[in-house]
Amino acid sequence: MDRTPVAASLFLLRAVAPLGAILACADPPAAPPPVPLDAKTDVTPARTFGARCGSDSPCAAGLTCQDSEFAPFPWCARACPIERVKDHCDAIAGEPPGFCVQMPKGWRGPADPFCVPECANLAQCQGHAPGWEECDKLKYKKSPLYGDLPTRVCQAPSAHGQIHVDPATCEWEARVTDPMLQSAKGLCKAFCLFKKDCQLRQPAETAACCGWTCFQWLTPGANVDAPREAALKCHIKSYSANTRTPNVCTAWKDDCKGMQSVPM
């Protein structure tokens, strides 16, 4: 048989041609089903008991997203019956143990009892949400609520007693009605005037937001912090004493050296 290169090529084509015809007649591979345009591929897991929550991070079934002064962030709480107050909440598989509490009348939060996470140490609390500040016996505004019990719970005392203010407007002054906090209100207004005149406010910071930031810093747990109060008074006094001098906006750096840093 002639095995010249041309003849060999023709022979190969004849052999392959039937196979090509078979493949051409075969059904094409099935295409993957189309993905709906509104399908979500990054579904956020539901938040668990004690975790931070929000409109884009809802709580798991049976939990509610509580926005109150119990913590400086909304968190997943669980309701409990009135008869379980000062007692352990019913155990839920996969959740940390809870303690049933009822906060005092007038606090900013639910009037009905709710469960808070029990704990052995702060690390356990911050495993639920970094914003928890203490693992301790329950207290409100530094006063123990159930001091006769050894149970320790996750809590954030800096939020207790704090006023809820819209961060977009910072309209806070009318909400501070406690007679014991009126001097703190006036002190922050004077401090923000000093910041304005010395161009120390941030470009986007309004007078209201300057005052609200100062007031929150000055009154952790709804109580005036003495070292912070002294620092604010020092800055205001230095500003007033040097009003007619070139050092009006810089003298505080020496006059208040070594004192608590203020919110600039």
Side-chain angles (χ1 to χ4, degrees):
M1 181 181 295
D2 187 357
R3 293 298 186 184
T4 63
V6 175
S9 298
L10 291 173
F11 177 80
L12 181 60
L13 285 173
R14 295 190 188 99
V16 172
L19 178 60
I22 294 173
L23 293 176
C25 295
D27 292 333
V35 178
L37 294 178
D38 60 347
K40 295 184 178 180
T41 57
D42 55 346
V43 177
T44 303
R47 296 297 193 262
T48 55
F49 182 41
R52 191 182 188 114
C53 55
S55 57
D56 58 345
S57 50
C59 298
L63 303 176
T64 58
C65 189
Q66 183 185 126
D67 186 3
S68 67
E69 58 178 301
F70 194 80
F73 55 91
W75 61 284
C76 293
R78 180 154 40 90
C80 53
I82 187 70
E83 59 269 17
R84 297 301 293 271
V85 171
K86 295 182 61 174
D87 199 356
H88 302 288
C89 297
D90 292 335
I92 303 294
E95 285 189 1
F99 183 65
C100 184
V101 304
Q102 187 168 37
M103 301 299 285
K105 291 182 178 180
W107 89 299
R108 186 179 63 82
D112 295 329
F114 59 92
C115 297
V116 297
E118 295 185 25
C119 57
N121 51 59
L122 179 58
Q124 287 184 349
C125 297
Q126 295 187 337
H128 306 317
W132 293 117
E133 300 168 356
E134 286 186 4
C135 171
D136 204 351
K137 292 182 180 181
L138 182 67
K139 55 181 175 286
Y140 178 66
K141 294 184 179 181
K142 299 183 178 181
S143 298
L145 292 185
Y146 308 130
D148 55 326
L149 299 178
T151 309
R152 301 169 70 192
V153 300
C154 300
Q155 52 195 312
S158 70
H160 298 173
Q162 289 294 342
I163 302 164
H164 183 67
V165 171
D166 185 346
T169 62
C170 300
E171 295 177 356
W172 65 281
E173 292 187 48
R175 297 176 180 271
V176 180
T177 58
D178 188 337
M180 301 299 292
L181 297 176
Q182 297 308 303
S183 61
K185 183 197 298 188
L187 195 59
C188 282
K189 291 177 66 175
F191 176 69
C192 287
L193 179 61
F194 148 69
K195 286 182 65 177
K196 176 186 177 183
D197 289 350
C198 292
Q199 299 182 356
L200 296 173
R201 286 202 333 227
Q202 298 298 318
E205 186 180 47
T206 65
C209 288
C210 174
W212 176 233
T213 299
C214 171
F215 184 80
Q216 287 181 292
W217 175 82
L218 178 59
T219 58
N223 293 286
V224 176
D225 183 278
R228 296 181 180 185
E229 180 184 36
L232 287 180
K233 288 182 176 179
C234 179
H235 282 70
I236 296 168
K237 181 179 179 180
S238 177
Y239 167 69
S240 299
N242 291 278
T243 298
R244 299 184 182 277
T245 74
N247 300 325
V248 60
C249 291
T250 58
W252 61 268
K253 296 180 181 179
D254 291 325
D255 295 343
C256 307
K257 185 181 296 183
M259 301 191 77
Q260 177 80 49
S261 297
V262 296
M264 288 295 195

